[in-house]
Amino acid sequence: MAQLNPFRKAFHLPSKQRINWFPGHMTKARGQIQHKLRNVDCIVEVHDARIPISGRNSQFFDTITGNGVKPHILILNKVDLLGANQRNAVVRQLRTLQPELKNILFSNCKDQRYPGISNIVPLATKLVSESSRYNRAQSADHNIMIIGVPNVGKSSIINVLRNVHLKKRSAARVGAEAGITRAVGERIKIQQNPPVYMIDTPGILQPSIKDDEMGMKLALVGCLPDHIVGEELIADYLLYWLNKHKRYEYVEKLELSSGPNDSISSVLAEYAHKQEMFHRVKQYNGQVEVMTNLLAAARKFISFFRTGQLGDINLDEYNGHLNIN
Ligand SMILES: Nc1nc2c(ncn2[C@@H]2O[C@H](COP(=O)(O)OP(=O)(O)OP(=O)(O)O)[C@@H](O)[C@H]2O)c(=O)[nH]1
Ligand SMILES: [Mg+2]
């Protein structure tokens, strides 16, 4: 008989909490993107390979491509954290959901020789040559705009391509936090012949994320700054997801003596205690008490996931299939 999974069946946010992040620079960037579109020949949409379905800002991105009129490539980046054996299933699922999605590439900016990286520019130039360029038909330049949600590696891809094709150093600012690129930049040259330029844009989320789990997945892969959602809540979602999918690698990684556990506070407390993560907390009566540092433990747990130390994980997978939010 199949063993029953004794853990939570659904994830609920604390009451009144919503997962949203739409700062002013995103509103501004939407306008800047629309303004530059006239001179763009191809749209490269980048998303995190660990959430191939969740969180793509589809409505806005559809308007940018003129609902498929402009050539479009979807790049699933950070494939090093997804794992090679999951790629085919991801493509099948994406094509089932969105049959019009023809050009899907995987990439890994940590490895310049990754085939998906060297395929981006040839595919883009081919699509542009096959497309109707209207006002730009006479121009030899190929302008590619790179769009996507925050922190998925848009600027990294521009830097890698510039290095691969032109052997030139990085030109776009990159960082581990969401919201590093804050405005639409000037075009950056990435190839000489034919001349190919890329336009970097800030990551843009939906103004209102209605699906809580989708919001938590975006938070877990780092598309929102951690403090917006809270590290302990992100860690709780991670624990929920791992238990629900029977991915118990965390038990060994966190050195939990009593096996899988669905209570984030006891998991973090045990780990913090073992790792001697303590901090001093001032009590209401003025006395200072030394307590286990649950926040530090939550950060460590999240970082294990983000650096692939809990195994290859596709957060949209559900019992071997993909879950559509
Ligand atoms: N493991 C891994 N990390 C990556 C990859 N590509 C980018 N990163 C890291 O992801 C983080 C975000 O990269 P950026 O290029 O700044 O992402 P972005 O999409 O431009 O982010 P915003 O400008 O904030 O929208 C950085 O810490 C990169 O080093 C990849 O393929 N694999
Ligand atoms: Mg950027």
Side-chain angles (χ1 to χ4, degrees), residues 62-300:
D62 282 351
T63 59
I64 292 176
T65 60
N67 288 309
V69 173
K70 243 184 235 297
H72 169 266
I73 300 171
L74 173 64
I75 297 183
L76 295 170
N77 190 38
K78 308 197 182 183
V79 71
D80 49 313
L81 302 173
L82 170 77
N85 58 355
Q86 309 232 31
R87 282 184 317 209
N88 288 343
V90 164
V91 171
R92 270 199 305 278
Q93 186 68 16
L94 275 167
R95 293 229 160 99
T96 310
L97 279 174
Q98 232 184 320
E100 71 282 9
L101 209 55
K102 294 198 178 56
N103 309 299
I104 304 169
L105 294 175
F106 289 93
S107 70
N108 170 9
C109 291
K110 302 284 171 191
D111 177 7
Q112 295 207 345
R113 285 161 306 161
Y114 190 82
I117 295 281
S118 40
N119 287 341
I120 296 172
V121 173
L123 178 59
T125 49
K126 176 176 164 286
L127 294 175
V128 172
S129 70
E130 290 168 358
S131 71
S132 164
R133 299 177 73 196
Y134 303 109
N135 58 314
R136 297 195 27 85
Q138 304 305 320
S139 175
D141 295 354
H142 293 58
N143 290 340
I144 301 171
M145 183 178 264
I146 194 152
I147 59 168
V149 297
N151 207 30
V152 289
K154 299 179 294 300
S155 305
S156 302
I157 287 179
I158 293 180
N159 289 337
V160 170
L161 291 178
R162 189 171 149 86
N163 196 262
V164 165
H165 294 281
L166 287 181
K167 306 274 173 277
K168 288 204 170 168
R169 64 184 166 77
S170 299
R173 210 174 136 234
V174 161
E177 273 273 297
I180 293 291
T181 308
R182 311 218 36 118
V184 176
E186 292 306 313
R187 58 183 199 163
I188 296 170
K189 194 168 201 172
I190 54 160
Q191 184 180 279
Q192 191 63 41
N193 194 14
V196 176
Y197 297 84
M198 279 193 136
I199 301 160
D200 199 6
T201 67
I204 298 180
L205 289 165
Q206 295 165 20
S208 160
I209 301 170
K210 298 209 169 56
D211 183 312
D212 292 343
E213 266 215 50
M214 182 198 282
M216 289 311 302
K217 287 178 187 178
L218 285 164
L220 183 51
V221 300
C223 296
L224 296 84
D226 289 344
H227 70 267
I228 297 284
V229 179
E231 286 88 341
E232 289 180 52
L233 186 59
I234 299 174
D236 189 26
Y237 180 74
L238 174 58
L239 183 66
Y240 155 78
W241 193 98
L242 295 171
N243 284 331
K244 187 175 172 193
H245 295 84
K246 302 192 175 94
R247 294 291 301 262
Y248 302 131
E249 290 95 326
Y250 73 91
V251 174
E252 198 182 324
K253 193 78 201 162
L254 301 182
E255 298 169 50
L256 303 179
S257 51
S258 50
N261 185 330
D262 216 11
S263 158
I264 192 64
S265 45
S266 48
V267 165
L268 295 180
E270 186 175 345
Y271 182 67
H273 203 264
K274 286 216 168 102
Q275 296 298 314
E276 297 181 10
M277 293 170 161
F278 298 113
H279 62 163
R280 292 166 178 277
V281 181
K282 200 168 186 179
Q283 301 298 321
Y284 66 96
N285 58 5
Q287 285 197 334
V288 174
E289 227 180 278
V290 175
M291 300 177 85
T292 46
N293 190 341
L294 299 184
L295 180 60
R299 286 185 176 145
K300 199 77 193 161

